[in-house]
Amino acid sequence: MTIIRISDDALARACGADEVAAAFAKAGATVERTSSWGMQWLEPLVEVDGKGFGPATVDDVAAILDGSSDKAIGVIAEHPFIASQQRLTFARAGKSRPLSLEDYEQHDGWVGLKRARQIGSEQIIAEMLHSGLRGRGGAGFPAAIKWKTVAGAVADQKYIVCNADEGDSGTFADRMMMEGDPFALIEGMAIAGEAVGATKGYIYIRSEYPDAIDKLRKAVNLCAHIIAPFECEIRAGAGAYVCGEETSLLNSLEGKRGEVRAKPPLPALQGLFGKPTVVNNVLTLCAVHHILAEGGAEHYQSLGIDRSKGTMPIQLAGNIKHGGLYETAFGITLNELVYDIGGGTASGRPVKAVQVGGPLGAYIHPDQFEVPFDYEAYAKLDALIGHAGITVFDDTADMGTMARFAMEFCAVESCGKCTPCRIGSTRGVELIDRIRAGGRVLEGVELAPQMHNMPKKGRSQEDEIKLLEDLCETMKFGSLCALGGFTPYPVMSALKHWPDDFRGK
Amino acid sequence: MSREQRLSEIIADHQGREGPLLPILHDVQEEFGCVDEEAERAIALALNLSRADVHGVVSFYHDFHTKADSRPVVQICRAESCKARGVEALIEGAVKTAGERVKLADVYCLGLCSSGPNARVGDKLHARLDGAALNKLIENA
């Protein structure tokens, strides 16, 4: 009998996958809910004997069943979007049922953990180091070094904390991973536990991802006996963006305000409840089980370029025709990602800018689209890879407005602990408003005589722009964490490449 | 069961955990629609904290409210990806449709960034919205 496979990923569901699945069931078909292939412009994607149909609606059900549907895309695994990828972290995407232990085992599940338990801490860390894996959360810090520090610390209790609170706009790989392949994350945490001598792990998930929270809670219960004596607990965040910052997250887990902690001490030495703690991002932990499988480390480090090793799940988002999850080795360019793979803008208009790395990432101008995707190459551009979200904007976007939004977002989400972020962001909004208004007018100055440092004559638009640049420098180097420290990236890149959007020309 | 009893039951459910405050606040918010002064006091007493400590946490997070609002809530994503896909043009119409009956809230990313504009009602997510679809969502909330 034919089995109809439909993803139960949150995006597919938001596009009507539940209704389509119900319609197939009503028509007498056997329906299996799977993880998502990541071809999001085709969701809900219906799979029949390996062939795909999408985006499917309830009205397409009869035609798909009798083979006359005009939504056919051919064999899914051979689709150029899938066939051109190098999938390691997302190896099971689309192929397995998220909560099926049987499916997970069939697709190499628990192989890494079993081997990790045979070879022991020192060897695990050596292989992690060899793989060249860098933290996928944004900073790109070598994962093995963090593990080594925690492993070397002496304490009665250590923790593994998964930072699943990174919900940058334009990024959704964490969410897809947690919903589509939850056991892979849990296995990575158990391996980390084995490496550093921790028996307790927490996954802190942002509350904006209800499906992921639900899936992981179920997954943890299903595999508790496999990962024992390691224990894993799911905690929900409460809607504070700054808790994606590792020290804020630790405070939040402890039940405090999610304020950033000054470093040192490093979380690796004094982390959760003051104990040595590994804090890793979802994708970092999900890469671990592959690396720990026989020969995995060697394979992993053979991919990528320079010091950016392995693969990166890239998220094609915003105004893009073929949006979705695209995993490939480092070194690919934005030209390839945006035009060849993404098909250009969804609106059909010219591309104006691409923001790489979430709301704190720089806006990249089309002139820079040939730079290879690589941590160091992007740093040279004054940009960041971050979480590898690619948010495309067409020529209707106003970059002055986007820069203002970046400052405004920082002001709303600042934890308040450090002055450059707390006050600088609010001043940033005011400054951009003044720049866009053409500078500060004289009348405004006279109205505020009590301000001792007020300029005696107004400030021109150019003066105000210089002030904004100065403010950005202060935020960049004076903020305690990435929220205040990276907000200058979108602001300054927008100002640099699209000055006319600020000057009202 | 009285409100007071239910409150102590929720607190007792989590008290044995490490760092129990956030899970308690989530359950209280879910049960009563807010974390009010009375709840703050009870939680503070049980966890050996000051009420100021608890209030500091409640007021820090967007998910917790000190007053209950019985209106249905529609969260609309206003982050970069949804902006790139034109969410801002839908806001005026949404505000008009919502009126006083529905509470509109901004949210910064639901993780459906390739297919915006997006919104959330309860635990149900909605993608690929246009003006008509968003207004219908608000009307049915």
Side-chain angles (χ1 to χ4, degrees):
Chain A
M1 188 167 147
T2 314
I3 295 172
I4 304 288
R5 293 162 63 87
I6 300 172
S7 158
D8 66 352
D9 175 87
L11 180 88
R13 296 183 62 211
C15 294
D18 291 352
E19 291 76 9
V20 174
F24 273 109
K26 205 176 158 203
T30 306
V31 179
E32 235 175 43
R33 300 304 293 269
T34 65
S35 49
S36 165
W37 283 94
M39 292 193 278
Q40 298 183 334
W41 76 99
L42 292 173
E43 294 284 11
L45 179 61
V46 175
E47 183 177 345
V48 190
D49 297 329
K51 294 198 181 83
F53 301 86
T57 65
V58 173
D59 298 335
D60 295 318
V61 168
I64 291 173
L65 284 174
D66 70 24
S68 67
S69 172
D70 58 356
K71 299 263 177 89
I73 60 153
V75 176
I76 294 178
E78 291 168 9
H79 191 285
F81 189 88
I82 300 294
S84 61
Q85 297 190 41
Q86 287 170 297
R87 286 195 161 176
L88 292 182
T89 309
F90 277 86
R92 281 173 287 274
K95 296 176 185 165
S96 61
R97 290 166 294 173
L99 291 175
S100 160
L101 278 171
E102 196 188 332
D103 283 11
Y104 188 63
E105 260 167 62
Q106 242 174 39
H107 290 93
D108 307 325
W110 314 117
V111 172
L113 179 60
K114 274 181 203 134
R115 191 157 164 276
R117 286 186 169 160
Q118 286 160 8
I119 61 179
S121 168
E122 235 170 89
Q123 185 66 22
I124 298 173
I125 292 171
E127 297 201 5
M128 281 289 286
L129 199 62
H130 183 59
S131 74
L133 176 68
R134 293 165 73 166
R136 292 294 188 253
F141 190 78
I145 307 286
K146 219 184 234 181
W147 288 23
K148 203 175 173 180
T149 312
V150 180
V154 181
D156 55 343
Q157 172 81 65
K158 298 177 185 178
Y159 295 100
I160 309 295
V161 170
C162 171
N163 180 351
D165 194 67
E166 290 171 327
D168 290 343
S169 172
T171 69
F172 43 81
D174 287 5
R175 179 188 66 67
M176 284 186 67
M177 200 65 217
M178 290 188 280
E179 290 179 23
D181 204 0
F183 297 127
L185 173 57
I186 298 166
E187 184 178 358
M189 290 183 70
I191 293 172
E194 202 67 29
V196 306
T199 51
K200 175 91 200 188
Y202 285 98
I203 307 178
Y204 182 95
I205 310 177
R206 60 201 301 267
S207 59
E208 290 85 347
Y209 291 171
D211 288 30
I213 294 172
D214 181 53
K215 278 269 180 61
L216 266 166
R217 285 215 165 114
K218 286 176 180 151
V220 161
N221 286 334
L222 284 170
C223 71
H225 63 290
I226 299 172
I227 58 167
F230 189 77
E231 262 180 69
C232 207
E233 192 178 325
I234 312 301
R235 289 281 172 97
Y241 176 80
V242 75
C243 289
E245 183 68 29
E246 64 175 2
T247 54
S248 303
L249 185 150
L250 294 174
N251 275 335
S252 186
L253 265 177
E254 290 179 7
K256 300 175 185 151
R257 291 163 68 89
E259 284 174 350
V260 177
R261 298 178 188 170
K263 288 192 265 190
L266 293 172
L269 297 172
Q270 288 179 39
L272 188 61
F273 303 112
K275 305 291 184 185
T277 304
V278 169
V279 186
N280 277 151
N281 146 283
V282 175
L283 298 179
T284 315
L285 289 163
C286 287
V288 169
H289 72 280
H290 172 81
I291 291 168
L292 260 294
E294 195 73 53
E298 185 63 36
H299 177 231
Y300 200 82
Q301 80 91 43
S302 72
L303 299 168
I305 54 169
D306 293 335
R307 282 162 57 210
S308 302
K309 295 297 185 193
T311 62
M312 189 76 194
I314 295 167
Q315 299 120 86
L316 304 175
N319 192 340
I320 191 161
K321 198 168 169 196
H322 297 155
L325 190 285
Y326 192 88
E327 183 176 356
T328 188
F330 282 97
I332 195 165
T333 67
L334 278 184
N335 269 332
E336 291 171 85
L337 287 167
V338 174
Y339 297 110
D340 305 345
I341 298 156
T345 61
S347 61
R349 301 181 66 94
V351 176
K352 178 164 184 173
V354 169
Q355 187 176 32
V356 178
L360 308 176
Y363 286 101
I364 312 282
H365 191 277
D367 291 349
Q368 303 171 306
F369 280 10
E370 267 309 306
V371 175
F373 219 65
D374 161 280
Y375 286 107
E376 278 70 33
Y378 265 64
K380 266 189 218 153
L381 273 190
D382 250 341
L384 30 122
I385 298 267
H387 205 289
I390 305 280
T391 304
V392 179
F393 290 80
D394 73 10
D395 62 346
T396 60
D398 181 290
M399 304 314 289
T401 304
M402 294 313 296
R404 185 188 192 276
F405 175 68
M407 283 290 188
E408 200 185 357
F409 183 71
C410 181
V412 172
E413 295 296 336
S414 174
C415 81
K417 178 115 172 175
C418 70
T419 322
C421 173
R422 183 184 68 241
I423 295 178
S425 51
T426 297
R427 289 288 177 260
V429 173
E430 294 167 2
L431 254 171
I432 294 173
D433 282 346
R434 288 206 301 269
I435 293 169
R436 283 154 68 85
R440 184 186 290 230
V441 291
L442 202 61
E443 290 83 2
V445 180
E446 286 170 348
L447 279 174
Q450 68 275 31
M451 301 276 285
H452 68 90
N453 57 351
M454 208 66 142
K456 295 290 176 262
K457 46 184 179 17
R459 263 194 300 259
S460 70
Q461 195 174 42
E462 290 310 311
D463 290 342
E464 298 280 19
I465 288 175
K466 273 195 207 105
L467 201 58
L468 178 64
E469 287 167 354
D470 195 41
L471 175 72
C472 281
E473 284 290 294
T474 307
M475 287 177 71
K476 199 168 165 181
F477 295 106
S479 297
L480 268 178
C481 83
L483 178 54
F486 287 1
T487 295
Y489 281 101
V491 176
M492 290 312 297
S493 57
L495 183 62
K496 182 177 164 196
H497 297 299
W498 299 274
D500 290 354
D501 285 6
F502 289 73
R503 295 191 175 116
K505 281 175 196 162
Chain B
M1 194 189 298
S2 75
R3 192 191 133 92
E4 211 171 313
Q5 278 172 322
R6 180 69 192 118
L7 195 55
S8 27
E9 204 178 78
I10 291 173
I11 296 170
D13 271 353
H14 297 291
Q15 214 162 1
R17 301 168 79 172
E18 296 179 311
L21 184 53
L22 227 51
I24 290 174
L25 294 179
H26 268 301
D27 283 3
V28 170
Q29 170 75 38
E30 169 87 22
E31 180 86 22
F32 306 112
C34 69
V35 185
D36 60 13
E37 203 179 308
E38 187 197 333
E40 282 181 358
R41 276 184 210 290
I43 295 165
L45 191 69
L47 301 188
N48 196 23
L49 298 167
S50 73
R51 188 177 84 83
D53 283 331
V54 178
H55 184 70
V57 174
V58 170
S59 57
F60 185 84
Y61 296 96
H62 297 307
D63 287 2
F64 305 134
H65 307 284
T66 46
K67 270 196 197 118
D69 189 334
S70 58
R71 292 179 295 168
V73 179
V74 176
Q75 289 182 303
I76 304 174
C77 179
R78 306 279 295 271
E80 283 84 352
S81 291
C82 283
K83 280 190 198 299
R85 297 181 66 89
V87 69
E88 294 305 321
L90 311 183
I91 298 301
E92 203 184 324
V95 169
K96 214 177 272 172
T97 311
E100 294 294 308
R101 191 186 69 83
V102 175
K103 184 182 173 192
L104 292 186
D106 294 340
V107 62
Y108 292 97
C109 202
L110 298 166
L112 316 172
C113 313
S114 64
S115 310
N118 306 310
R120 174 177 174 179
V121 186
D123 271 352
K124 193 153 170 48
L125 303 173
H126 303 267
R128 291 182 197 146
L129 297 169
D130 54 17
L134 180 59
N135 289 339
K136 201 170 140 203
L137 206 62
I138 294 167
E139 274 163 20
N140 296 336

